[in-house]
Amino acid sequence: SQQGEEDPQALSIQEGENATMNCSYKTSINNLQWYRQNSGRGLVHLILIRSNEREKHSGRLRVTLDTSKKSSSLLITASRAADTASYFCATDVNYKLTFGKGTLLTVNP
Amino acid sequence: DTAVSQTPKYLVTQMGNDKSIKCEQNLGHDTMYWYKQDSKKFLKIMFSYNNKELIINETVPNRFSPKSPDKAHLNLHINSLELGDSAVYFCASRLGLYNEQFFGPGTRLTVL
């Protein structure tokens, strides 16, 4: 069964703007991960945040985790056209990653 | 150097045929996965092996059979292919059971 749900399903912004994607889930997790998928390619891991962490940064990416609300957010700052891709959250439970349906981000030059 | 590789990249075949997809990782990981991504981009786990032992076996038709000859390889054999098997199949690997996963480029299977 599906665990993570991303919101919005699609997001279109201008280069230089920030993009925020949200993820909600239903059960307790070991960690939550964000992945990017460019059209026709495999998934690329972005950030892993463990259940006892609240915030993590990696370059222009910032991820937050609120286990009380069972939600996470991914912020991409100063977006670039090359950030255009689908972004997935995945919850890690019982050795298994369960992916949401993804957010399609389009960054217009 | 390719970290997780899959062959073939594209597979077009007739209904009823049997086909295999191969996956290899050179990352020294001990856990490998097969996922199926449908036309709506929904990614669903199928199988997982840890140190050559099957640890995840989702509700998948028994026409699908994984095989892990060693920790670096995980193959997927599909018997009696059906139209609904058309999808992109991804292999992935990770070190241990709760770290980031590394994905292969995918195998696009089309059943005619």
Side-chain angles (χ1 to χ4, degrees), chain A residues 2 30-31 33 35 37 39 41-43 45 48 50 86 88 92-97 99-101, chain B residues 9 33 35 37 40-43 45 55-56 58 90 94 97-101 103-105 108:
Chain A
Q2 195 174 324
N30 179 281
N31 64 70
Q33 304 183 28
Y35 289 80
Q37 184 178 32
S39 181
R41 310 288 291 272
L43 280 78
H45 179 262
L48 181 154
R50 301 199 185 278
S86 291
F88 295 89
D92 208 346
V93 181
N94 293 333
Y95 319 138
K96 184 169 70 172
L97 273 187
F99 287 82
K101 292 182 179 176
Chain B
K9 190 169 173 60
Y33 299 82
Y35 291 89
Q37 188 173 44
K40 295 183 179 177
K41 294 218 163 184
F42 182 49
L43 198 69
I45 189 168
I55 59 169
I56 295 173
E58 290 294 281
F90 287 100
R94 66 175 163 183
L97 299 169
Y98 285 120
N99 290 312
E100 64 266 37
Q101 291 190 14
F103 281 76
R108 182 174 293 277

Side-chain angles (χ1 to χ4, degrees), chain B residues 11-26:
Chain B
L11 190 49
V12 181
T13 188
Q14 298 289 329
M15 232 171 23
N17 284 351
D18 304 338
K19 290 293 177 186
S20 291
I21 307 172
K22 296 182 184 242
C23 177
E24 176 181 1
Q25 54 93 6
N26 62 5

Side-chain angles (χ1 to χ4, degrees), chain B residues 69-96:
Chain B
D70 55 57
K71 288 197 295 184
H73 296 85
L74 180 61
N75 303 322
L76 183 65
H77 188 76
I78 315 169
N79 289 326
S80 303
L81 278 155
E82 299 178 358
L83 294 176
D85 298 332
S86 294
V88 181
Y89 292 84
F90 287 100
C91 176
S93 72
R94 66 175 163 183
L95 186 64

Side-chain angles (χ1 to χ4, degrees), chain A:
Chain A
S1 63
Q2 195 174 324
Q3 167 79 301
E5 287 273 358
E6 291 92 342
D7 172 59
Q9 290 187 359
L11 180 60
S12 181
I13 60 174
Q14 296 299 121
E15 233 177 356
E17 293 180 341
N18 295 343
T20 299
M21 287 158 265
N22 302 298
C23 172
S24 59
Y25 58 93
K26 296 173 185 170
T27 66
S28 296
I29 59 174
N30 179 281
N31 64 70
L32 185 143
Q33 304 183 28
W34 285 90
Y35 289 80
R36 183 187 75 228
Q37 184 178 32
N38 290 85
S39 181
R41 310 288 291 272
L43 280 78
V44 173
H45 179 262
L46 297 176
I47 285 188
L48 181 154
I49 186 164
R50 301 199 185 278
S51 60
N52 60 353
E53 297 175 311
R54 291 297 167 257
E55 190 170 307
K56 239 177 163 177
H57 295 81
S58 176
R60 294 183 296 111
L61 306 180
R62 172 179 169 252
V63 166
T64 61
L65 179 65
D66 186 334
T67 52
S68 66
K69 294 182 180 177
K70 292 187 169 58
S71 67
S72 174
S73 68
L74 170 67
L75 168 67
I76 304 174
T77 59
S79 63
R80 305 165 182 168
D83 294 329
T84 294
S86 291
Y87 291 81
F88 295 89
C89 72
T91 51
D92 208 346
V93 181
N94 293 333
Y95 319 138
K96 184 169 70 172
L97 273 187
T98 304
F99 287 82
K101 292 182 179 176
T103 293
L104 177 59
L105 173 66
T106 303
V107 181
N108 302 296

